[in-house]
Amino acid sequence: MSAMFITATGTDVGKTYVACALIRALRAEGRAVRAFKPVVSGFDPADTDASDPGRLRAALGDGAPSLEDISPLRFAAPLSPPLAARLEGVHLELDRLEALCRTQIAGDGPLLIEGAGGVMSPLTDEATNLDLIARLTLPVILVCGSYLGTISHTLTALEVLKARGVTVAAIVMSESEGAPDLGETAASLAAFVGEIATLTAPRHADGWDASDLARRLQL
């Protein structure tokens, strides 16, 4: 059993982009990687391919599990999970989310669990991604953008993760549109994060090669 939690400094900075790239890199090494995103909002049943679980499923390739298996809790409204769930008459509970993740963790082969939103984004009315991560005691990949201000946001996220005893396995800076130079921004961030590996994920039409990240992780 080996598992990693992919979280981020905020919403829409590239978690799924990084997760899909890492899945492809692990598969290229012959690893039978799995992916799980317990809850997703903004899910359009008419365009599943564009959804986060749809993109994860595509990266997993032939024999991938169903969307229901990858993301069992899917809600239509593009809101935080508890708000989107409430509109559909569902009350999200941290115990249930933890149980869903633990069932996946008990399976065979490397597992990537992707959160919803950023480290401190709410998953339920009472709990955040950080609460779930801390309960699972999994190391994390922290994804950040390269936009102006990202260094402050990333260092803040690192501080709250550290305060809860969470191990950060790597930081991946995903390129933001119209942002300052990706390499220079990552180098500036790296000066503040000690021994935590800081990698860059450029935005290419054919995706990012995450083989270096795959080699660094003990999955």
Side-chain angles (χ1 to χ4, degrees):
M1 181 277 291
S2 57
M4 192 80 57
F5 199 104
I6 299 180
T7 189
T9 57
T11 302
D12 292 334
V13 296
K15 288 191 309 300
T16 305
Y17 179 73
V18 170
C20 289
L22 184 54
I23 289 168
R24 291 192 296 267
L26 289 168
R27 289 184 60 223
E29 295 179 356
R31 308 293 299 279
V33 63
R34 297 171 293 130
F36 188 60
K37 186 175 177 107
V39 59
V40 61
S41 54
F43 179 82
D44 181 0
D47 190 15
T48 59
D49 289 348
S51 70
D52 289 350
R55 292 164 62 195
L56 292 171
R57 187 170 189 271
L60 290 167
D62 295 339
S66 67
L67 288 175
E68 291 75 13
D69 289 332
I70 293 173
S71 281
L73 298 169
R74 304 176 309 283
F75 304 103
L79 303 169
S80 69
L83 292 177
R86 193 179 307 144
L87 291 176
E88 299 184 29
V90 177
H91 176 70
L92 294 176
E93 297 179 349
L94 184 58
D95 286 348
R96 182 184 182 190
L97 295 175
E98 179 186 2
L100 289 170
C101 290
R102 290 201 179 278
T103 297
Q104 294 294 321
I105 291 169
D108 296 326
L111 170 68
L112 301 177
I113 300 177
E114 183 184 332
V119 171
M120 296 300 294
S121 294
L123 283 181
T124 75
D125 289 331
E126 301 86 18
T128 66
N129 277 286
L130 180 61
D131 294 312
L132 178 60
I133 293 167
R135 279 200 182 190
L136 297 174
T137 66
L138 294 179
V140 307
I141 299 167
L142 178 61
V143 180
C144 62
S146 62
Y147 55 84
L148 185 64
T150 192
I151 294 175
S152 175
H153 295 165
T154 305
L155 295 179
T156 300
L158 287 172
E159 284 297 318
V160 298
L161 289 164
K162 179 181 177 181
R164 295 289 288 273
V166 176
T167 298
V168 178
I171 298 169
V172 179
M173 182 173 285
S174 177
E175 187 174 17
S176 303
E177 185 177 356
D181 183 83
L182 177 62
E184 291 180 359
T185 305
S188 296
L189 173 63
F192 290 93
V193 301
E195 296 181 355
I196 302 174
T198 303
L199 295 84
T200 57
R203 292 282 177 161
H204 298 308
D206 55 352
W208 166 57
D209 180 2
S211 55
D212 186 26
L213 176 61
R215 285 191 295 267
R216 291 173 182 270
L217 301 176
Q218 295 181 350
L219 277 168

